[in-house]
Amino acid sequence: MDFIGANILSVSQFERADIDRIFTVADSMGPFARREKVTRVLEGAILGNMFLEPSTRTRLSFGAAFNLLGGMVRETVGITASAMAKGESLYDTARVLSGYSDIICMRHPQAGSVAEFAAASRVPVVNGGDGDNEHPTQALLDLYTIRKELAGKGRTLDDFRIAMIGDLKHGRTVHSLCKLLCLFDKVQLTFISPPELAMPEAVVEQLRAAGHQVTVTDQLEESIGHVDIVYSTRIQEERFASQEEANLYRGRFRLNREIFTRHCEPNTVIMHPLPRDSRAEANELDTDLNEHPSLAIFRQTDNGLLVRMALFAMLLGVEGDVDKYSRPVRWHSRRSPI
Ligand code: NCD
């Protein structure tokens, strides 16, 4: 695809060569993310961050990635803080905000809303999550992480096994990741969820049509024994009709050190898009795994910066110039390397 000026709305717009290009550019962003060098390549550019649903890492890492390339960030957080609370349409908001920005990242509670917004925008729009539909940049950083973790074991994206656990019905990160995996070969997927929260049939069909082996189950312990990756997810309580209904499922599939040690192969990689629900009744990924070398959740968040920097550079057509406008940093803020 032609990245310059494009919107990033769905992973379906990527071909495999596009993924390879994004990952190559992401690899080159390491010195900037590690604060060894700074670049001014996006000096003067403005990112409009429009987050109409709660977010910590997606919003902050989009912003930090843009800052790391030398650009500035303007934010609107929460529908109540925007004129949408006064009934303003997506169309009008897009026309206005795109006059103030060079690129826009948007999160919105409704599926399809970011595409509607993008159709009216005069600058590229990146989908930071639209309802239960898609979260393309999370899928890219997840796939980038999987690739890196597998490389450490001499494996590749073309032959690996992954178990996805939790609310697979509403989880936009797993929807996007599965669609992206259709670009690769010989992936074995195990979907572990309560039957009511199963992966949408259309996604399962797409994976099977791509030649992948898919197993659907509601049994955790017996299904995580022979996988390279376990990808845990939160019950997406904000997508349920009532809190009571969401509560039925919280804490149903918990992964802790004891279960991991007893059932998983020792070097199985543990992933989660975060946030993990740390409340006692949920706790789908226990803190007793925090120091476990297989826990990749904070490697995922660090990788998110690299992938989002790569996308910004490519969408704004500067990926070849990042180093040209760089210099070493003067300060020392890191207690440990990332
Ligand atoms: C996810 C999201 O918002 O879809 N988080 C993220 O962006 N890293 C997952 C979640 O909220 O559970």
Side-chain angles (χ1 to χ4, degrees):
M1 65 174 272
D2 187 4
F3 279 89
I4 297 181
N7 298 316
I8 302 294
L9 300 174
S10 161
V11 292
S12 307
Q13 67 196 89
F14 297 125
E15 292 176 11
R16 183 153 175 170
D18 301 322
I19 305 297
D20 292 340
R21 279 182 61 202
I22 296 168
F23 288 179
T24 302
V25 178
D27 286 341
S28 74
M29 296 297 175
F32 303 96
R34 288 192 299 270
R35 315 298 200 272
E36 293 159 11
K37 290 198 235 171
V38 283
T39 178
R40 292 183 290 112
V41 73
L42 287 187
E43 189 171 29
I46 298 177
L47 164 67
N49 241 351
M50 184 102 190
F51 273 69
L52 306 180
E53 259 195 344
S55 171
T56 300
R57 78 222 79 239
T58 305
R59 179 172 65 85
L60 288 175
S61 71
F62 272 133
F66 209 75
N67 288 151
L68 286 169
L69 291 168
M72 297 173 286
V73 183
R74 292 265 158 201
E75 302 211 317
T76 305
V77 175
I79 285 187
T80 49
S82 81
M84 286 185 171
K86 302 177 183 172
E88 189 164 45
S89 66
L90 283 168
Y91 177 90
D92 285 5
T93 311
R95 300 299 289 178
V96 173
L97 188 59
S98 57
Y100 305 156
S101 319
D102 295 284
I103 187 165
I104 296 171
C105 294
M106 187 180 199
R107 171 172 285 189
H108 191 284
Q110 269 160 19
S113 54
V114 181
E116 186 184 335
F117 180 92
S121 171
R122 294 172 279 168
V123 298
V125 174
V126 180
N127 183 359
D130 62 322
D132 61 6
N133 182 36
E134 278 230 32
H135 194 342
T137 62
Q138 179 72 37
L140 287 170
L141 79 86
D142 286 341
L143 192 68
Y144 183 77
T145 303
I146 294 170
R147 187 189 71 144
K148 265 196 186 169
E149 299 287 328
L150 291 178
K153 304 174 190 174
R155 307 282 303 272
T156 72
L157 289 173
D158 283 309
D159 184 9
F160 76 99
R161 306 155 299 171
I162 182 168
M164 298 186 185
I165 306 165
D167 185 355
L168 306 183
K169 177 182 177 191
H170 302 107
R172 56 194 172 196
T173 74
V174 286
H175 298 165
S176 288
L177 181 56
C178 284
K179 291 180 198 169
L180 210 45
L181 289 176
C182 291
L183 296 176
F184 297 83
D185 294 328
K186 286 203 293 182
V187 184
Q188 292 175 43
L189 300 105
T190 306
F191 294 141
I192 306 166
S193 72
E196 302 86 347
L197 302 183
M199 183 64 79
E201 200 48 44
V203 178
V204 174
E205 284 312 314
Q206 203 179 331
L207 286 161
R208 289 195 170 130
H212 297 330
Q213 187 185 310
V214 180
T215 307
V216 177
T217 174
D218 61 359
Q219 298 300 310
L220 176 71
E221 299 186 0
E222 65 192 44
S223 310
I224 53 176
H226 303 288
V227 293
D228 302 297
I229 313 278
V230 285
Y231 187 108
S232 174
T233 66
R234 180 180 66 88
I235 299 299
Q236 308 281 295
E237 58 186 10
E238 64 277 32
R239 312 265 178 247
F240 287 78
S242 69
Q243 186 64 54
E244 291 68 39
E245 194 193 343
N247 288 346
L248 294 175
Y249 304 105
R250 292 173 81 190
R252 278 276 283 278
F253 297 112
R254 294 179 181 204
L255 194 59
N256 59 23
R257 191 173 271 265
E258 199 246 315
I259 292 172
F260 181 83
T261 308
R262 193 141 48 89
H263 296 283
C264 290
E265 293 169 358
N267 63 357
T268 298
V269 177
I270 305 164
M271 295 177 61
H272 191 303
L274 301 180
R276 50 180 162 166
D277 188 339
S278 62
R279 289 168 286 193
E281 61 277 22
N283 203 19
E284 72 269 6
L285 185 54
D286 202 296
T287 50
D288 69 1
L289 283 160
N290 278 2
E291 302 305 321
H292 199 291
S294 289
L295 190 77
I297 58 177
F298 303 118
R299 297 196 285 276
Q300 278 172 271
T301 54
D302 282 349
N303 288 335
L305 265 188
L306 303 176
V307 169
R308 292 184 169 121
M309 288 175 78
L311 272 182
F312 286 138
M314 294 167 81
L315 297 175
L316 296 175
V318 297
E319 78 269 25
D321 292 328
V322 177
D323 228 29
K324 187 164 135 197
Y325 293 95
S326 74
R327 58 174 171 73
V329 300
R330 284 185 281 264
W331 65 89
H332 303 275
S333 64
R334 294 270 146 199
R335 273 187 285 273
S336 63
I338 52 174

